[in-house]
């Protein structure tokens, strides 16, 4: 190569003030239309001036730097190269005129979803975009792992990687913890990285913050849909499926565990059954006693536990203690239920199992449906192995204008299978009452 001042002298010789303004504007990323508006010429005229300037500079380069085109094209095979690197390779001072030579040689700014990468050049305009997209397929990524992953994907070092990845068009974004997660799975990816960094299973409540979800229930549902996570039962913590050290039970719940052991070892004594279940599914004896109410489990004439399908008699629940909020009078069963947040948002309502026992629901799962009036959906009472529940009373509570702390009266007709719900507060002590209110309606169902 020759004296590195030649390009500057050529620039001064062939580039007038208007051509310099155009070249500087293009280097800043301005459009031909914008530049033309400032100079009061058309877009096409701006393009012509730019092309003529490039041609004249290239003519000087062809004479003074033989083979420069092949040199810059070879260097430009990389997805992105700084302008200064091209200047150094040509033994030139880094100058705006280098960009005109690069454009004349067929190079351009690398394309990305954030737009052209100004100050960088390449002969393969889409190569950087492809490398960046390959990088996003490696997400989720700890921030400390980003540079290594980028190098593996073929992304050149030095580019403003974090700025490009944070662009709204990017497939990834930063998590609350500062790591890189996929936009369409940011919560689950954040949970994955949190567990990966923690190194041990966590309750879902610890993952709510990193996942940026409103409730533990929402987090739990998201994790359940993703094969990367597994729930360790019965404690309910969450770990990563890839962790080979986890002792994962094959059972989803205590009933499955108990039925599995009875299937394999029954007929079996209650004590031996409980001991074997707890070897693979650690759970309390109280919970296992509840599981004996499953309609799959029964008792033999010898007092052993076996499957109903093998001839064992179903085990029925013994009568629980009667709560002071429930009573039976003739053909009617009544219950007082305090309105709480769960009722107002439509959740099913847990009730004392004395109610289901009175209805003859003494195994699990069992249910009974009661018709309601005024267009309400039927009311369903269910008996599970661990809980008794009635279906949502939200619509009744709203129509009766109740608030938290109010009392609903539930009246079940045991003969005709109908249900009625009414406002059960004493008028003087009703939390929903105001000074100008008239007495509440007496019933909706």
């Amino acid at each position: 190569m020759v004296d590195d001042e030649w390009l500057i002298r050529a620039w001064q010789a062939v580039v007038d003030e208007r051509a310099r303004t155009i070249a500087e504007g293009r280097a800043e990323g301005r459009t031909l239309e914008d530049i033309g508006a400032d100079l009061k010429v058309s877009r096409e005229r701006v393009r012509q001036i730019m092309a003529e300037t490039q041609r004249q500079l290239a003519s000087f380069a062809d004479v003074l730097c033989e083979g420069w085109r092949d040199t810059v094209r070879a260097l430009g095979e990389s997805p992105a190269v700084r302008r200064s690197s091209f200047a150094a390779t040509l033994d030139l001072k880094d100058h705006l005129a280098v960009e005109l030579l690069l454009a004349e040689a067929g190079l351009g700014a690398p394309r990305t979803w954030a737009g052209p990468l100004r100050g960088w050049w390449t002969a393969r305009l889409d190569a950087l975009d492809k490398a960046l997209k390959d990088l996003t397929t490696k997400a989720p990524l700890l921030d400390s792992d980003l540079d290594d992953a980028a190098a593996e994907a073929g992304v050149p070092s030095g580019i403003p990687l974090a700025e490009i990845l944070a662009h709204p068009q990017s497939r990834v974004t930063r998590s609350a913890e500062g790591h890189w997660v996929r936009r369409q799975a940011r919560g689950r990816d954040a949970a994955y990285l949190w567990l990966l960094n923690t190194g041990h299973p966590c309750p879902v409540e610890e993952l709510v913050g990193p996942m940026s979800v409103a409730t533990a229930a929402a987090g739990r549902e998201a994790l359940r849909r993703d094969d990367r996570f597994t729930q360790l039962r019965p404690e309910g913590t969450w770990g990563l499926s890839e962790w080979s050290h986890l002792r994962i039970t094959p059972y989803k719940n205590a009933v499955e565990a108990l039925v599995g052991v009875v299937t394999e070892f029954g007929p079996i004594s209650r004590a031996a059954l409980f001991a074997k279940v707890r070897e693979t599914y650690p759970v309390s004896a109280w919970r296992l006693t509840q599981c004996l109410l499953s309609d799959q489990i029964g008792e033999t004439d010898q007092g052993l536990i076996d499957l109903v399908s093998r001839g064992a008699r179903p085990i029925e629940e013994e009568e629980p203690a009667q709560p002071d909020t429930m009573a039976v009078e003739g053909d009617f069963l009544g219950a007082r239920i305090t309105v709480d947040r769960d009722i107002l948002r439509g959740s099913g309502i847990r009730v004392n199992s004395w109610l289901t026992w009175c209805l003859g629901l003494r195994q699990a799962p069992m249910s009974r449906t009661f018709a309601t009036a005024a267009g309400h959906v039927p009311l369903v009472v269910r008996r599970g192995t661990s809980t008794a529940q009635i279906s949502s009373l939200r619509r009744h509570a709203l129509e009766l204008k109740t608030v938290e702390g109010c009392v609903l009266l539930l009246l079940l007709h045991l003969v005709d299978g109908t249900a009625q719900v009414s406002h059960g507060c004493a008028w003087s002590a009703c939390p929903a009452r105001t000074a100008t209110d008239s007495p509440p309606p007496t019933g909706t169902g």
Side-chain angles (χ1 to χ4, degrees):
M1 296 296 178
V2 296
D3 158 25
D4 67 1
E5 296 287 345
W6 72 263
L7 184 60
I8 297 176
R9 292 198 299 272
W11 169 267
Q12 294 170 341
V14 304
V15 179
D16 59 20
E17 183 176 352
R18 184 168 63 170
R20 184 177 296 108
T21 299
I22 292 173
E24 291 172 348
R26 291 298 286 160
E28 294 168 358
R30 298 182 63 195
T31 65
L32 298 177
E33 289 86 347
D34 286 344
I35 298 171
D38 287 347
L39 297 177
K40 296 182 172 51
V41 297
S42 67
R43 174 188 184 282
E44 176 59 21
R45 182 56 185 148
V46 172
R47 188 197 64 76
Q48 291 172 354
I49 294 170
M50 191 78 172
E52 179 61 20
T53 303
Q54 289 176 192
R55 186 190 64 76
Q56 291 178 352
L57 283 173
S59 295
F60 274 89
D62 289 338
V63 173
L64 296 173
C65 294
E66 184 179 352
W68 70 272
R69 295 175 190 267
D70 292 337
T71 300
V72 299
R73 285 171 182 162
L75 182 58
E77 283 301 302
S78 172
V81 183
R82 290 183 186 273
R83 185 181 73 187
S84 58
S85 297
F86 286 100
T89 300
L90 294 174
D91 289 337
L92 298 172
K93 286 185 177 179
D94 187 10
H95 187 274
L96 178 60
V98 173
E99 294 203 352
L100 299 181
L101 289 182
L102 297 178
E104 183 66 16
L107 278 66
R111 296 170 182 151
T112 74
W113 54 68
L117 185 60
R118 298 297 173 186
W120 296 72
W121 290 78
T122 181
R124 299 186 295 139
L125 300 184
D126 293 321
L128 179 59
D129 188 62
K130 181 181 183 303
L132 289 168
K133 288 176 179 175
D134 287 346
L135 172 60
T136 63
T137 65
K138 301 177 183 296
L141 289 165
L142 294 171
D143 190 54
S144 57
D145 293 338
L146 179 62
D147 289 342
D148 288 343
E152 186 178 330
V155 178
S157 63
I159 70 169
L161 184 56
E163 179 182 337
I164 295 173
L165 292 180
H167 190 273
Q169 296 301 315
S170 172
R171 298 175 182 177
V172 297
T173 186
R174 278 196 186 275
S175 70
E177 304 299 318
H179 305 305
W180 295 98
V181 296
R182 295 169 295 169
R183 287 186 183 275
Q184 300 302 316
R186 64 184 71 185
R188 286 174 285 136
D189 280 1
Y192 176 85
L193 293 176
W194 175 273
L195 289 169
L196 195 66
N197 192 48
T198 302
H200 59 77
C202 296
V204 72
E205 287 76 12
E206 288 187 24
L207 301 173
V208 167
M211 293 179 72
S212 298
V213 294
T215 65
R220 192 177 296 110
E221 182 58 29
L223 297 177
R224 189 175 290 120
R225 299 196 313 267
D226 195 316
D227 291 339
R228 293 176 297 171
F229 304 96
T230 185
Q231 188 174 24
L232 280 68
R233 300 175 182 275
E235 62 268 28
T237 56
W238 290 87
L240 298 180
S241 300
E242 64 194 57
W243 286 345
S244 58
H245 63 281
L246 295 180
R247 187 171 68 88
I248 302 175
T249 176
Y251 305 115
K252 294 181 179 178
N253 52 53
V255 173
E256 279 194 11
L258 187 138
V259 171
V261 171
V262 172
T263 301
E264 182 177 358
F265 296 101
I268 186 172
S269 70
R270 182 175 301 200
L273 169 62
F274 285 11
K276 287 190 174 294
V277 170
R278 293 163 78 174
E279 288 176 5
T280 57
Y281 195 94
V283 65
S284 69
W286 173 82
R287 178 70 184 102
L288 290 175
T289 300
Q290 291 179 315
C291 294
L292 293 177
L293 296 179
S294 168
D295 58 3
Q296 301 178 67
I297 298 296
E299 190 173 31
T300 69
D301 293 337
Q302 293 74 36
L304 301 177
I305 306 300
D306 202 357
L307 299 178
V308 170
S309 61
R310 294 199 290 226
R313 296 186 310 275
I315 300 172
E316 292 190 353
E317 180 182 25
E318 296 181 359
E319 182 178 5
Q322 179 180 350
D324 57 11
T325 57
M326 298 180 183
V328 173
E329 178 108 10
D331 294 333
F332 293 91
L333 191 160
R336 293 171 58 86
I337 300 173
T338 301
V339 176
D340 59 16
R341 186 174 301 177
D342 286 339
I343 288 178
L344 293 176
R345 70 185 177 197
S347 302
I349 306 159
R350 289 190 176 188
V351 294
N352 191 288
S353 61
W354 186 83
L355 185 146
T356 51
W357 188 89
C358 288
L359 294 176
L361 310 178
R362 299 173 187 176
Q363 293 173 264
M366 297 182 73
S367 65
R368 183 170 173 182
T369 301
F370 293 84
T372 57
H376 289 277
V377 297
L379 191 71
V380 180
V381 182
R382 296 184 178 87
R383 181 67 178 98
T385 57
S386 61
T387 61
Q389 189 179 66
I390 60 176
S391 55
S392 173
L393 294 178
R394 180 176 184 272
R395 185 174 170 188
H396 297 276
L398 294 178
E399 289 184 4
L400 292 168
K401 299 183 179 179
T402 61
V403 298
E404 286 189 53
C406 284
V407 173
L408 294 176
L409 290 181
L410 174 63
L411 191 64
L412 303 178
H413 197 300
L414 304 180
V415 176
D416 66 12
T418 59
Q420 181 178 356
V421 183
S422 59
H423 194 149
C425 289
W427 175 237
S428 59
C430 179
R433 178 182 177 233
T434 65
T436 58
D437 281 342
S438 56
T442 57
T444 65

